[in-house]
Amino acid sequence: MAEPRSTAETEQSGASPGPGASRGLSPKSIVIWSLVAIVGAVGWAVLALSRGEEVSAAWMLAAALGSYAIGYRFYSKFIANRVLKVDRTRATPAERLDDGVDFHPTDRRVLFGHHFAAVAGAGPLVGPVLAAQMGYLPGTIWIVAGVIFAGAVQDMVVLFFSTRRNGRSLGQIARDEIGPVGGAAALIAVFAIMIILLAVLALVIVNALAESPWGVFSIGMTIPIALFMGLYLRILRPGRVSEVSLIGVALLLLAIVAGGWVAESSWASTFTLEPGTLVIWMVVYGFLASVLPVWLLLAPRDYLSTFMKIGTVTLLAVGVLIALPNLKMDGITEFASSGTGPVFAGSLFPFVFITIACGALSGFHALISSGTTPKMIQKETQIRTIGYGSMLVESFVAIMALIAACIIEPGLYFAVNSPMGVVGDTVQAASTAVGNLGFSITPEQLAQAAKDVEEQSLLHRTGGAPTFALGMAEIFSAAFGGAAMKAFWYHFAIMFEALFILTTLDAGTRVGRFMLQDMLGNVYKPFKNVSWKPGVWIASAIVVLAWGYFLWVGVHDPLGGINQLFPLFGIANQLLAAVALAVCTTLLIKSGRLKWAWVTGVPLLWDVAVTLTASWQKIFSADPRVGFFTQRAEYQDALDKGLPSFKLAKNREQMETIVTNSTVDGVLSVLFAVLIVVVLFESGRACVKAIRHPETIKVSETPYVESKFVAPASLIATKEEKAELVAAGVGPEGGARKTEERV
């Protein structure tokens, strides 16, 4: 083992990414990247300059993909090599603390799948669909620019600093680096927000899977398939990632097809579950996923799910290029300025940036980047691929969701996404209501749209998921299967969305356990050891019971629990991002990187402006459609007057529920905002102190230990990396091994 190096020595080493790192662009590369930039620029020009005419969705793909490629190739590399100075010679926590449970060096391809599956949940599917009411242009700009300069940067930088601190959680890093007051506020805020986020994610899953035997069977089968893959890689055929991938994908496709057979068989009733039953099973699954070794269930299941997620979204992009559907929604609608949209109330600023969270910038990602992933990563040089790269893929999912929402007729979009109080419960009423909004659709068209996907009705199917499924079915049926396949693709999309979200729930539960153990460890030290069995079981039980309680209440809410929890989801998620970016900025300054503090500092200032503005409006707005407390007062006044119903509430029980929900939303909004302000203030103090008195600053980074692992930095090993692997006695496929083992 090498002698430990100080933080200053580590920074001065400026360790290079290693074999395969480019040393400038060749003429061929200059030509290629110039063409990529031109394609992206033309795409943006068409989207921005088109007025009063339909635009092909292919231009949105061109703008997004061109921008992603430039951002990853140049900006992420600049951050990794110049700002963070990732060190390929430095051992990661997975190598030093390998315990086979939480700390486990994981092949970067499997870990990429786990990380992407863990961070890509409901947000990139639902948020862009809801924000489409303001037009396709604002959402597209925020999704692409937000991920390149904020979201992917946050994910990568948090992953780096957590890896340098034995995989410590975001809240605990804040406590160590910002101070006891700001750290305590961060710990409370992060954990409370985490529980709300998990409850919302779980509620979306329950709504998608309830009464769906196809979805329940197919998703349930991913668990035994993942267990088999974990045992295969660990015991039967260690390191054979490509081999087990083919087997896993084949079994997954079989499970999806078999789900359709089960739905048509006598077994359908067995897999047709009530919402309350699904809650119990999800709590049980969340607990098991949190306590079982990460290599046995969590990592292989997320890796398996990634094939379906990325495969489906890629196929959707191919479908867009084949079918070339036009964007039916305007670039910018009148709701962007009026703030009177039927899908959600509020103007473009700040609510587009709150509604579209995951896919552009998501605080939840920081919990994964400081939770499971830093305990599994093999080399620091993989941080760029896993942290920045996986976030770009999620952003692409958000772009596809926005395309799916904008290619269907606006009249159908608003009939599906508006609440029953706006569009009514009949196709005739919905047609009239949509006409009043400035769009047109006939009752016959609404009825036919439902018939095409074998649904009784598509009216007021709020939440975004049904709209994404409609758009996806439209693209796939046009590109691959014809109108006769539209119903199949619609139900496939519903099941796909449920699977998409569930992988976030299990990883989030494990991260919640890490966070709680960190917090409890400040009182009782054995909890600090994340592998201590009593601590693992106790903390896991507390976490699943906490989000399980909110989920149970939401499922049994007469108006649907999404009304209680979803308004908090976007604000809480972005406030969490403010904590993450504040911690990152503080660490950059404290570790001697003051000149690079703008990398996270600028996104932090933007996020703070957005989230605190949204919080202020939600707390103090006099518009009952926006302000929680104003809404509460309005419904409470109706109750006091003895009214039998009021607005969206059809009876007094629903009126009382709205009063309770509005109160909870308002109080939690105040709590979250106050905690975040405390964190920002304490973070600012720590930064000022570090700038004025750098000689007094100490960071909690673990000492340097030389790595004995050989592993590629990217998903595909370069020629130089393959040569290094062969020289170390490792096969050229790129699996990491300790050099002294000489496999």
Side-chain angles (χ1 to χ4, degrees):
M1 181 182 295
E3 290 297 319
R5 295 191 292 183
S6 66
T7 300
E9 290 172 334
T10 301
E11 300 311 326
Q12 290 171 2
S13 70
S16 68
S22 63
R23 297 173 178 80
L25 291 175
S26 65
K28 179 181 178 181
S29 295
I30 292 174
V31 171
I32 292 174
W33 287 107
S34 296
L35 291 175
V36 171
I38 290 171
V39 169
V42 171
W44 282 115
V46 172
L47 293 177
L49 300 178
S50 298
R51 291 292 183 271
E53 58 189 89
E54 292 186 354
V55 178
S56 173
W59 290 115
M60 190 182 293
L61 280 182
L65 292 175
S67 301
Y68 294 153
I70 296 294
Y72 182 78
R73 171 60 180 80
F74 296 100
Y75 193 49
S76 72
K77 189 171 184 179
F78 159 76
I79 295 173
N81 296 350
R82 297 289 300 280
V83 179
L84 302 179
K85 295 184 178 179
V86 294
D87 189 348
R88 72 189 183 96
T89 71
R90 188 186 187 103
T92 65
E95 179 180 350
R96 291 184 291 102
L97 306 175
D98 185 5
D99 60 8
V101 179
D102 296 312
F103 293 90
H104 178 64
T106 304
D107 186 284
R108 81 274 181 203
R109 293 161 292 185
V110 176
L111 185 57
F112 182 93
H114 158 74
H115 186 82
F116 171 72
V119 300
L125 295 176
V126 174
V129 172
L130 302 182
Q133 78 162 358
M134 295 187 178
Y136 62 78
L137 191 56
T140 304
I141 293 173
W142 170 233
I143 290 170
V144 176
V147 72
I148 291 173
F149 297 109
V153 173
Q154 171 207 256
D155 292 12
M156 180 169 66
V157 176
V158 170
L159 178 56
F160 172 80
F161 282 124
S162 181
T163 301
R164 285 284 178 95
R165 286 157 178 77
N166 284 342
R168 302 300 293 274
S169 67
L170 176 65
Q172 191 62 39
I173 295 175
R175 185 179 184 276
D176 294 339
E177 303 291 351
I178 294 178
V181 176
L187 282 169
I188 296 171
V190 170
F191 186 73
I193 290 172
M194 179 74 163
I195 296 301
I196 295 297
L197 297 184
L198 290 176
V200 172
L201 293 173
L203 189 56
V204 175
I205 298 170
V206 170
N207 289 341
L209 292 183
E211 313 297 339
S212 174
W214 183 8
V216 169
F217 176 83
S218 298
I219 290 177
M221 286 303 297
T222 62
I223 298 174
I225 294 173
L227 292 172
F228 168 75
M229 292 175 66
L231 292 170
Y232 194 95
L233 279 176
R234 180 79 172 188
I235 299 172
L236 299 177
R237 301 273 285 176
R240 304 290 183 173
V241 177
S242 300
E243 195 172 288
V244 78
S245 299
L246 293 175
I247 297 173
V249 170
L251 292 174
L252 176 63
L253 294 175
L254 178 61
I256 294 171
V257 174
W261 300 338
V262 168
E264 300 295 330
S265 73
S266 58
W267 287 10
S269 59
T270 304
F271 293 94
T272 303
L273 303 182
E274 297 288 334
T277 306
L278 279 171
V279 170
I280 296 172
W281 278 112
M282 290 179 63
V283 167
V284 171
Y285 170 73
F287 179 80
L288 292 176
S290 180
V291 302
L292 288 176
V294 70
W295 59 265
L296 180 60
L297 176 60
L298 191 65
R301 187 184 184 286
D302 289 351
Y303 178 61
L304 177 67
S305 301
T306 298
F307 280 104
M308 182 175 177
K309 291 182 177 184
I310 296 180
T312 301
V313 172
T314 302
L315 191 62
L316 194 57
V318 172
V320 169
L321 295 178
I322 294 175
L324 295 176
N326 289 329
L327 300 171
K328 303 295 180 61
M329 191 71 72
D330 292 338
I332 301 177
T333 69
E334 62 175 296
F335 302 127
S337 56
S338 68
T340 59
V343 179
F344 64 90
S347 56
L348 189 153
F349 182 87
F351 288 105
V352 160
F353 309 101
I354 295 299
T355 305
I356 301 178
C358 304
L361 172 64
S362 171
F364 178 80
H365 294 194
L367 304 183
I368 305 299
S369 292
S370 63
T372 54
T373 305
K375 298 177 179 64
M376 301 162 67
I377 196 166
Q378 296 167 328
K379 305 289 286 184
E380 282 192 1
T381 46
Q382 297 170 352
I383 287 173
R384 176 187 174 213
T385 298
I386 293 170
Y388 200 98
S390 62
M391 181 57 186
L392 290 183
V393 178
E394 181 179 1
S395 182
F396 183 60
V397 173
I399 285 292
M400 297 312 302
L402 187 60
I403 288 175
C406 293
I407 64 165
I408 65 176
E409 291 294 337
L412 179 59
Y413 169 86
F414 285 106
V416 173
N417 285 281
S418 301
M420 184 171 61
V422 174
V423 297
D425 204 24
T426 66
V427 291
Q428 290 78 14
S431 176
T432 301
V434 169
N436 293 335
L437 294 173
F439 304 94
S440 63
I441 190 167
T442 66
E444 292 74 21
Q445 289 173 321
L446 287 171
Q448 186 62 45
K451 183 179 179 182
D452 288 343
V453 295
E454 298 181 7
E455 289 284 337
Q456 293 295 320
S457 173
L458 290 174
L459 302 181
H460 50 79
R461 298 287 296 274
T462 58
T467 302
F468 176 80
L470 280 173
M472 184 171 165
E474 190 75 29
I475 294 170
F476 278 166
S477 61
F480 306 118
M485 290 291 290
K486 187 175 288 188
F488 168 83
W489 288 121
Y490 175 83
H491 290 282
F492 172 85
I494 292 293
M495 190 272 295
F496 162 76
E497 290 175 291
L499 177 63
F500 211 99
I501 300 166
L502 188 57
T503 53
T504 305
L505 184 68
D506 52 22
T509 299
R510 198 178 190 95
V511 171
R513 188 253 286 181
F514 292 149
M515 293 165 52
L516 185 57
Q517 284 189 261
D518 270 343
M519 294 172 63
L520 296 177
N522 296 320
V523 179
Y524 186 60
K525 287 188 177 180
F527 276 101
K528 288 284 188 183
N529 180 4
V530 294
S531 299
W532 183 54
K533 294 298 183 184
V536 170
W537 288 67
I538 292 171
S540 297
I542 293 173
V543 171
V544 296
L545 289 176
W547 63 254
Y549 166 77
F550 283 102
L551 176 60
W552 183 267
V553 171
V555 164
H556 293 86
D557 187 318
L559 291 184
I562 206 74
N563 291 326
Q564 177 180 355
L565 300 175
F566 195 78
L568 282 175
F569 181 87
I571 293 177
N573 196 29
Q574 301 304 66
L575 286 174
L576 190 54
V579 173
L581 290 168
V583 170
C584 289
T585 304
T586 303
L587 285 171
L588 286 174
I589 294 174
K590 291 182 68 174
S591 61
R593 301 174 173 93
L594 175 60
K595 67 178 180 179
W596 304 123
W598 58 268
V599 171
T600 54
V602 172
L604 171 62
L605 293 176
W606 169 257
D607 188 48
V608 169
V610 168
T611 51
L612 292 185
T613 300
S615 296
W616 179 272
Q617 292 187 19
K618 281 294 183 181
I619 295 168
F620 296 107
S621 175
D623 185 347
R625 296 171 301 176
V626 177
F628 290 133
F629 290 116
T630 302
Q631 183 186 65
R632 180 201 180 281
E634 187 179 52
Y635 278 85
Q636 184 61 54
D637 183 60
L639 282 171
D640 294 340
K641 292 179 179 178
L643 298 179
S645 63
F646 185 74
K647 291 189 173 181
L648 299 180
K650 302 305 179 183
N651 52 54
R652 290 184 64 82
E653 181 183 12
Q654 293 185 353
M655 294 163 66
E656 292 169 353
T657 298
I658 292 177
V659 169
T660 301
N661 293 348
S662 300
T663 304
V664 171
D665 288 346
V667 170
L668 288 177
S669 294
V670 173
L671 174 65
F672 292 158
V674 170
L675 289 172
I676 299 311
V677 169
V678 171
V679 172
L680 293 173
F681 178 77
E682 292 297 314
S683 175
R685 288 210 316 169
C687 290
V688 171
K689 181 181 178 181
I691 295 171
R692 290 181 175 177
H693 307 287
E695 70 282 355
T696 65
I697 297 302
K698 293 182 180 180
V699 293
S700 58
E701 185 176 289
T702 54
Y704 173 89
V705 174
E706 185 178 359
S707 174
K708 301 297 183 181
F709 267 66
V710 177
S714 300
L715 298 179
I716 301 175
T718 64
K719 183 184 299 183
E720 294 89 346
E721 287 172 336
K722 289 180 180 179
E724 184 185 33
L725 289 163
V726 172
V730 183
E733 185 182 284
R737 297 289 188 276
K738 287 189 176 181
T739 55
E740 67 266 23
E741 289 178 0
R742 293 287 188 263
V743 175

